[in-house]
């Protein structure tokens, strides 16, 4: 929508690859992974140019590589404990 209005490059963010809202992470709650079909459809539809990924990357630093490889069954649920892990 923003891209349509401004003509500027846009980025989407929020629960990419995950079910629950990010604020729950601060309450110590995890969330399950979810599929990317709708995101990919909208990206292909040029509704936005970039996709920001938060918790999914905090959980799994190989997240991008797994998507690139089409290895989506290897993607992980998000655990709030991942916020305390440094790679
Ligand atoms: C541990 C943690 C710290 C965050 N810190 C900030 C911050 O300092 N500033 C900010 O604008 N967003 C912050 N966010 C929000 C993220 O930038 C992002 O918008 C949010 O996590 C939604 O993406 P996600 O659903 O992929 O996690 C933080 C999120 C998490 C989980």
């Amino acid at each position: 929508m923003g891209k349509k209005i401004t003509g500027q490059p846009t980025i989407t963010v929020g629960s990419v690859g995950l079910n629950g809202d990010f604020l729950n992470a601060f309450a110590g709650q995890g969330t399950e992974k979810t599929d990317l079909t709708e995101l990919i459809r909208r990206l292909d539809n040029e509704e936005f140019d970039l996709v920001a990924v938060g918790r999914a990357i905090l959980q799994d630093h190989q997240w991008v590589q797994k998507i690139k490889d089409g290895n989506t069954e290897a993607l992980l649920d998000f655990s709030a404990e991942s916020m305390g892990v440094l790679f």
Side-chain angles (χ1 to χ4, degrees), residues 9-82:
T10 58
I11 185 167
T12 190
V13 66
S15 299
V16 169
L18 298 172
N19 267 328
D21 189 87
F22 90 94
L23 288 172
N24 296 336
F26 295 100
Q29 291 172 21
T31 185
E32 291 177 355
K33 64 182 175 178
T34 188
D35 89 346
L36 298 164
T37 310
E38 177 65 6
L39 177 78
I40 292 166
R41 184 192 69 75
R42 294 180 65 183
L43 185 61
D44 288 345
N45 200 34
E46 299 184 350
E47 291 181 34
F48 34 76
D49 303 285
L50 291 169
V51 177
V53 183
R55 288 164 298 155
I57 294 277
L58 288 180
Q59 178 67 45
D60 182 3
H61 67 285
Q62 293 182 315
W63 191 88
V64 172
Q65 190 64 49
K66 288 176 181 176
I67 301 289
K68 201 175 167 190
D69 294 343
N71 193 14
T72 51
E73 67 278 8
L75 297 174
L76 305 172
D77 293 336
F78 172 77
S79 159
E81 288 164 16
S82 68

